[in-house]
């Protein structure tokens, strides 16, 4: 390949990465704006809880070895109903779980009034028998 073709390919890859990052940022800003304009708390029912343990690993970056400690992440799938329409969503957290959540338990979520598919979950508000589920 010629130098000119390599430069075009590199420029195209960089442009694609910038477009993807920009679209993620625009979506996050839109969702945040919708939630700030008006939101409502509602009870959601847990459909599934996934626990995923990630092992400790080492990664070489610029001739140095960086240790990435082991951690556990939890993905909570939930459903909620607004005006007779059922929505499904999930969230993932790395916070430690003090008490187990099960299918059928309810949690409080916040959804945007203008677009009920936009939600926010505050792990500090998730409780089981009046006690917090996640560490802070």
């Amino acid at each position: 390949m010629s130098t000119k073709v390599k430069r075009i390919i590199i420029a195209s890859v960089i442009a694609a990465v910038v477009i993807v990052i920009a679209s993620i940022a625009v979506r996050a800003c839109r969702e945040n704006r919708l939630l700030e304009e008006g939101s409502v708390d509602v009870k959601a029912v847990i459909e599934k809880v996934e626990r995923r343990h990630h092992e400790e690993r080492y990664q070489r970056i610029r001739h140095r070895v960086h240790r990435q400690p082991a951690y556990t992440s939890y993905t909570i799938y939930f459903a909620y109903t607004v005006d007779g329409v059922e929505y499904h969503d999930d969230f993932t957290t790395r916070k430690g779980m003090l008490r187990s959540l099960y299918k059928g338990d309810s949690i409080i979520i916040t959804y945007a009034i203008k677009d009920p598919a936009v939600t926010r979950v505050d792990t500090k508000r998730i409780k089981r028998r009046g006690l917090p589920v996640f560490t802070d």
Side-chain angles (χ1 to χ4, degrees):
M1 267 195 265
S2 70
T3 306
K4 186 176 181 179
V5 172
K6 289 180 183 177
R7 286 183 183 167
I8 291 172
I9 291 172
I10 291 171
S12 300
V13 169
I14 291 172
V17 168
V18 168
I19 289 171
V20 168
I21 291 172
S23 67
I24 291 170
V26 166
R27 179 179 179 198
C29 288
R30 176 189 170 273
E31 289 179 354
N32 196 29
R33 181 180 45 80
L34 284 172
L35 285 164
E36 286 177 1
E37 287 177 359
S39 58
V40 176
D41 291 342
V42 68
K43 281 191 175 186
V45 177
I46 295 176
E47 296 179 320
K48 184 169 133 183
V49 178
E50 284 184 357
R51 177 183 179 269
R52 183 172 295 138
H53 182 73
H54 303 269
E55 296 292 331
E56 176 182 54
R57 63 183 196 157
Y58 294 89
Q59 186 175 18
R60 183 177 295 274
I61 300 173
R62 294 185 189 150
H63 307 292
R64 288 187 171 184
V65 176
H66 294 274
R67 179 180 164 268
Q68 295 179 337
Y71 66 92
T72 302
S73 65
Y74 299 93
T75 303
I76 314 293
Y77 298 89
F78 58 90
Y80 59 101
T81 304
V82 177
D83 297 331
V85 179
E86 187 172 65
Y87 295 91
H88 300 271
D89 203 355
D90 64 74
F91 73 95
T92 302
T93 184
R94 285 186 175 188
K95 292 184 177 185
M97 190 179 275
L98 300 170
R99 288 157 193 79
S100 297
L101 288 173
Y102 299 101
K103 180 180 178 178
D105 287 346
S106 62
I107 59 173
I108 302 293
I109 63 158
T110 305
Y111 72 88
I113 294 171
K114 289 186 177 179
D115 185 2
V118 175
T119 61
R120 179 180 291 156
V121 179
D122 183 8
T123 56
K124 293 177 186 174
R125 295 175 60 189
I126 298 176
K127 298 190 184 294
R128 182 166 170 84
R129 296 187 183 125
L131 299 170
V133 171
F134 293 101
T135 60
D136 288 330

